[in-house]
Each structure stands twice: as structure tokens, then as C-alpha cells.
Amino acid sequence: MSEEPVILFEKVNKWFGDFHVLRDIDLSVAKGERIVICGPSGSGKSTMIRCINRLEENQQGRIVVQGIELTDDLKNIDSIRSEVGMVFQSFNLFPHMTVLDNLVIGQHLVRRLPKAEAEEIAMTYLERVKIADQAEKFPGQLSGGQQQRVAIARSLCMKPKIMLFDEVTSALDPEMVKEVLDVMVDLANEGMTMLVVTHEMGFARTVADRVIFMDEGQIIEENTPDAFFDNPASERAQNFIGQVLHHL
Amino acid sequence: MEPILKPFIEQKAPPQQSTGLVAWLRENFFSSWFNTLVTIILLWLIYQVGGFIINWAFINANWVGDSAKSCPNVDGACWAFVTERWRLFVYGLYPKELYWRVNVFYGLGLLTIIAFVFSFGAYTKKFRLTMFIGFPIAAYIFLVGGVFDLQHISPESFGGLLLTVVIATVGIFGSIPLGLILALGRTSDLKVISKVCTYFIEFWRGVPHIAVIVMFVALLPIFIPDGNKIDIVVRAFIAFAAFNSAYMAEVFRGGLQSIPAGQFEASKAIGLSYWKMMGYIILPQAIRNSVPALVNTCISIFKETTIVLLIGFSDFLGIIQLSLEDPKWLGPPHIFSSAYVFAALIYFALAYGMSKYSLRLENRSNVDQH
Ligand SMILES: Nc1ncnc2c1ncn2[C@@H]1O[C@H](COP(=O)(O)OP(=O)(O)OP(=O)(O)O)[C@@H](O)[C@H]1O
Ligand SMILES: [Mg+2]
């Protein structure tokens, strides 16, 4: 790759107390790349992507995002967080604000846009995730799928260059999974750099440039989705795919 | 996701099926011979007790007079004691010609309560903030004076209900912001700040309040001589605000802990700084969740004002007790009981009002979140 990577992990190690959760992670993500991360529960997938916007701190190694090295410097953390959007399994919408205000607050407080302009931008994103008619409702009044689409719109409002998705469909009822995945596929088609923790193989096959398989804090395997799912190299990946397929 | 949201529509019992009053009575009070018996016994008790209360408090009561002799009927209340002394109870030793200043203070206090109980649409927040900051300042200006040509009145002459309300005001308005700061400190990631706040809170929660008041008031002058009586009031105020701020801090900490970690993570992920995250996302939810406990604490602050009796000040209850020792009013025990019934009624009315308010707030915040 000629261009500089937008995300770079070099020999990243992390411990929770005595527990070695990330082991010598090396990873390089190019601009516009779509990466799906999978692996058994507790393998460190969430922890790894949460290091990218410093929700977790690594103790060893280097993480560089958009050319900015992650250090304790608050300014660096702030500028990285404005470049990186994140969507969570549990939506995490702000329950005391309307859907519209959920989208306005960050633009207003972080990007310092005037309220009116922020609302306009918010509405265009709500339209994109097909939920503009719910703008005045509170999150508690929406279905899980609707809430998750609002959460995606809230992140997009901040105009991030990179989007992180952490099992965003696993808390949803099956019939709502598609409406959320559709939004993510659209986003991928627009060229967004995406790191997606998911076990949705269909999504991985249509969207991902690369699948990363993690186990016990290590990256075990990296490949194109078709190669990975059809011909996993390691035994652990074979077992994992067998279980996921079995489960579906 | 955590079930922090209550159901949108309240559940109600199915509609009553019974037709008319007679059916309803039969169903609820006379459905079996046992229920009928219980109903009859209860009715008889209500009749007896109610009759006694009406006789005692109204029919046989002694309403006016200026000494124990005005209350000859020992089977009735001696309200004369209250009607003759109420000014003392309400205004303490405040100069008579300046009662209007106390009235302004009470009025502003009422306005503050109104600001927090009722909703004023778009102005609600501004109104509440104005009163929360403005009321203590205005209270000081009007009650103590010494500014704007208002004659200076020493807090020493506060007493009765005035002293109770002033101490409660200092306790509540001082401990809420202090408690909030302590709670934020205790939950802070910075170890030093968190440790200092924790020790501060645990210290004040650990020591008996009586000991604190006595220590502040009796022991401090030994180390700092020539302390006069005004300083004692101020010291008592400081002690009162200090130990109540520890309780408030725990109230707010409870509220903070009720907020799921995801709220912090989502705030950070969209790039909010610590203070913006706290101010716009976490505290509005945490404070709302703290309200019931907060009002409880306010009620106990209010009841605890009587602790100043120990250091020679007479709050509402204290001044009633003091008046009872007046030789003019020495007499049969019904004077005592009347005085305490009166005190209990006033305390009950105020505490009841506060807890009703907290219930209202709880219900309203459930509605607001949808
Ligand atoms: N804050 C924490 N403190 C201590 N241990 C933690 C913490 N967060 C995660 N862990 C542990 O680290 C390991 C990896 O967690 P992580 O959430 O990254 O796994 P994951 O791959 O995302 O799993 P899942 O598929 O269940 O989400 C787990 O064993 C977990 O128990
Ligand atoms: Mg996870």
C-alpha cells in the first residue's frame, strides 16, 4: 500500500490486572478498508477496537490513528475521538433526550455548530437511516433496531473518518438485524473505513475486504472473507466457524 | 440495555364492575361475617377516637388568654398558649418592627418551593437556577442586613421557626453543591482526589453529629479565643453544612452509580470532554435518579435542626419548650400536650409536603424520559 495506514497497531499488549487480554497485536488498516473481526467470546475483540478511540488503554506497543499517536495527551485523544465514530451492542442512546437532541448534542458541543445547523445535519442523517419521522421521540419509545439506527446516525453526524462497530446486531431481535445491516452496507459502499466486530457471515462476505480472526488475545488468522470462511487455515478458526455455522 | 426506563403506560387495576354504592360497600366491607365484624369494630374505634379529637381540639379547647389560668378546662387543648406566643414561635427574637424582613424571607422561600414544585415551560430551568442561587443570597441580605441601608441584625436573635428554616436552608443549599462536588471527586479517576473526598465523606458520616456541633462550638473557642456568640452561629452553620454535604455526596454517588457504563462510553466516543459529559449526559440522569434520596436527606436535615438546642439556641421546638418553662404558663399537663401537638402538626405538615414533592418528581421524571 502506498498510502499511510489510517490505523496502525504495533506490538500492542494489554493486561487487565494479571490477565493478558491483548498479545502482540500488529494490525494495519488502509483508508476505505472494511475489516470484519470475529472470534470466540472473551478473545479480546471489543478490547482491541476500544483501544482505537482510547476507551481502553494499551500498556505496551504503539497505536497510531490518522497519523496521530495515542498517548496520555488529552488533546490527542480528543482529536482522535473526533475522527473515529463508534456504535455499541447496547445502543447507549441518551435516554433523557429526544432522538434529535441525541444527534445534535455532539455536533453542538464538540463541533461547535449552531443548533439550527446541527439540527439540519441531524435530520439528513435520520433520513438516511430511514427514521426521520421519529425525531421527536425519546429512545425508550423506539424498537431496538430503530435505536441502533439512531445510534449509527449519531456517530455519522460527527463526520468521522473511521467507524467502529462492536456487535451492533447481537442485542437485536432477528427481524431487526437486516434493517441495521442494510445501513452498514450503504455506509461501506460510500467508502467509509470500517472495523466491524460481528459474527454475521453474510455481511462479512458481501462487505469485508479482510476478515481477522482472534483468539485468546491474539490475531490468529487474516484473510479475504471467502478464503477465510471456506478454507480456514488454523484449527481454532475451523472450530469457530463450525460453531457459528451450526448456530445459524 | 439496563432497564432504566419505566413502562410508558402505567398499569391500572381493571375497572370496577360493581353497580352503585351499596354493592361496593357490601363487596369491600361486609363480604363475610368476619369482615362485617372487623368493619363494625373499626367504625366504633373511629367514632371514639374521632369524638375524642374533636372534643379535645375544638369543643373543649381554650382558645385565648395570656397565662395558664386561661386554660381551666383540662379536657380540652390549650391553644391559648399557641395563640399568645405564635409570634415568638415564628419570628424568634427578631425585632418586631422588622418582621417584614422575615416575611420577605418566608415569601422568597415559598417562591423557591413553587419554582421547584411546578413547571413553567421553557422558563422552568432558568427560574429554578435563579432561585437556587438567588434565594440564599437574598435570604442573607434581608435577614442579616448590614447592606443597602438595612439595619444589621445579629443571627443571635434568630429563633423559633425562623431559626429552623434558616438552618435548614443553610444545610440544604450548602450541602447540595458541596455534596455534588464531593461525589464527583469520589468517583474521579484521579486517585488523590478520590481518596481525599472519600476520607472527608467517611469522616463526617462516621462522627456523631452532636459531637461535631459541640466540638465546633465549644472546643474551637479554646483554640481561637475571643469568639463571640455570632461566630458560634456561623460555626454551627458550617458544621451543619459540612456533615450534611457528606450525606448528600452519598446520595449523588448513588445516582451516579445508577448510570450504565455505556452512557460514559458513548459520551466519550462522540468526543465530549469530561465536564461536558458530566454536565449534559451523566448528571441530568444521575440527579434525577437521586431525587427521592435527596428529598429524604432534606427532610432529615430539617428535623435535625433541633440539634442547635445543645449549644443554647432555640429552634422551633426549642422555643416552644422554652416558653413552656415560663412561670406564667406553668400549669396542668394539657398545656404541654397542646404545645407538642402543635409542634408535631407543623413538623408533619412540612415533612409531608417534602415527601409528597419527591413522589411528584419521581412520577414526573418517568414521564419526561419518554
Ligand atoms: N474492564 C475489564 N476488566 C477486567 N477484565 C476485562 C475488562 N473488560 C474485559 N475484560 C476481560 O477481557 C477479556 C476480553 O474481553 P472482550 O470484551 O474484549 O472480549 P470479546 O472478544 O469482545 O468478547 P465478546 O464476544 O463476549 O464480546 C474477557 O475475558 C473479559 O472478561
Ligand atoms: Mg465484545
Side-chain angles (χ1 to χ4, degrees), chain B residues 242-292:
Chain B
F243 59 61
N244 282 309
S245 69
Y247 286 90
M248 284 293 183
E250 290 302 277
V251 166
F252 287 124
R253 189 164 72 106
L256 284 171
Q257 279 174 341
S258 72
I259 307 301
Q263 293 290 307
F264 292 84
E265 292 171 359
S267 311
K268 287 180 192 164
I270 62 172
L272 296 183
S273 65
Y274 174 82
W275 290 109
K276 283 175 179 164
M277 167 175 83
M278 283 298 172
Y280 289 90
I281 310 298
I282 306 301
L283 286 181
Q285 297 181 64
I287 290 175
R288 217 167 243 178
N289 295 352
S290 310
V291 162

Side-chain angles (χ1 to χ4, degrees), chain A residues 53-183:
Chain A
N53 62 351
R54 200 66 164 184
L55 290 183
E56 303 288 358
E57 224 172 292
N58 59 308
Q59 279 104 26
Q60 275 180 13
R62 231 159 67 91
I63 300 176
V64 184
V65 180
Q66 295 277 353
I68 307 165
E69 177 158 0
L70 279 178
T71 58
D72 282 334
D73 190 345
L74 284 176
K75 261 208 209 94
N76 284 356
I77 296 174
D78 283 348
S79 42
I80 279 162
R81 283 181 180 161
S82 68
E83 309 269 307
V84 179
M86 185 165 201
V87 186
F88 304 84
Q89 177 175 355
S90 50
F91 325 139
N92 297 344
L93 294 177
F94 306 133
H96 60 303
M97 294 178 178
T98 62
V99 164
L100 186 65
D101 287 340
N102 263 275
L103 272 67
V104 166
I105 184 117
Q107 301 186 64
H108 186 56
L109 294 178
V110 180
R111 299 183 59 213
R112 300 184 187 283
L113 296 182
K115 275 249 163 74
E117 196 184 335
E119 281 179 12
E120 217 170 282
I121 294 173
M123 285 312 293
T124 60
Y125 280 104
L126 284 177
E127 259 151 43
R128 267 187 56 176
V129 300
K130 304 190 180 65
I131 208 161
D133 51 330
Q134 315 280 353
E136 294 307 323
K137 287 197 180 164
F138 285 89
Q141 291 169 286
L142 304 184
S143 74
Q146 290 173 322
Q147 290 193 48
Q148 196 57 296
R149 284 183 281 147
V150 173
I152 295 175
R154 176 175 69 182
S155 273
L156 293 178
C157 277
M158 305 304 290
K159 312 262 173 177
K161 308 249 167 42
I162 300 165
M163 283 290 288
L164 310 174
F165 295 86
D166 192 359
E167 302 204 39
V168 296
T169 56
S170 9
L172 297 178
D173 291 336
E175 71 268 23
M176 293 170 187
V177 170
K178 187 173 177 295
E179 66 188 51
V180 173
L181 289 180
D182 285 347
V183 171

Side-chain angles (χ1 to χ4, degrees), chain A residues 16-17 19 21-22 39-48 50 56 89 166-167 197 199 214:
Chain A
F16 283 122
F19 180 60
V21 58
L22 294 181
S41 180
S43 55
K45 308 178 296 287
S46 300
T47 309
M48 183 175 86
R50 286 155 61 89
E56 303 288 358
Q89 177 175 355
D166 192 359
E167 302 204 39
V197 176
H199 296 162
M214 287 183 74

Side-chain angles (χ1 to χ4, degrees), chain B residues 136-290:
Chain B
I137 297 170
Y140 179 85
I141 292 173
F142 278 103
L143 289 182
V144 179
V147 279
F148 305 129
D149 287 344
L150 288 173
Q151 189 193 331
H152 176 79
I153 303 294
S154 151
E156 185 191 344
S157 57
F158 295 178
L161 191 63
L162 175 61
L163 186 62
T164 297
V165 177
V166 166
I167 298 174
T169 306
V170 171
I172 291 168
F173 284 76
S175 67
I176 287 179
L178 253 172
L180 195 57
I181 292 170
L182 284 171
L184 287 176
R186 186 168 186 171
T187 52
S188 159
D189 286 338
L190 297 169
K191 281 267 154 49
V192 187
I193 292 180
S194 152
K195 274 266 150 40
V196 169
C197 290
T198 305
Y199 287 135
F200 184 89
I201 291 167
E202 293 307 329
F203 172 77
W204 287 112
R205 273 171 20 114
V207 290
H209 296 181
I210 292 173
V212 174
I213 294 280
V214 171
M215 191 184 75
F216 253 69
V217 175
L219 295 186
L220 273 192
I222 298 174
F223 304 111
I224 312 160
D226 62 42
N228 55 35
K229 210 168 181 207
I230 303 168
D231 287 335
I232 293 181
V233 185
V234 175
R235 276 204 294 269
F237 283 177
I238 293 173
F240 210 70
F243 59 61
N244 282 309
S245 69
Y247 286 90
M248 284 293 183
E250 290 302 277
V251 166
F252 287 124
R253 189 164 72 106
L256 284 171
Q257 279 174 341
S258 72
I259 307 301
Q263 293 290 307
F264 292 84
E265 292 171 359
S267 311
K268 287 180 192 164
I270 62 172
L272 296 183
S273 65
Y274 174 82
W275 290 109
K276 283 175 179 164
M277 167 175 83
M278 283 298 172
Y280 289 90
I281 310 298
I282 306 301
L283 286 181
Q285 297 181 64
I287 290 175
R288 217 167 243 178
N289 295 352
S290 310

Side-chain angles (χ1 to χ4, degrees), chain B residues 173 189 302 309 311 363:
Chain B
F173 284 76
D189 286 338
F302 176 77
L309 277 176
I311 50 168
N363 292 336

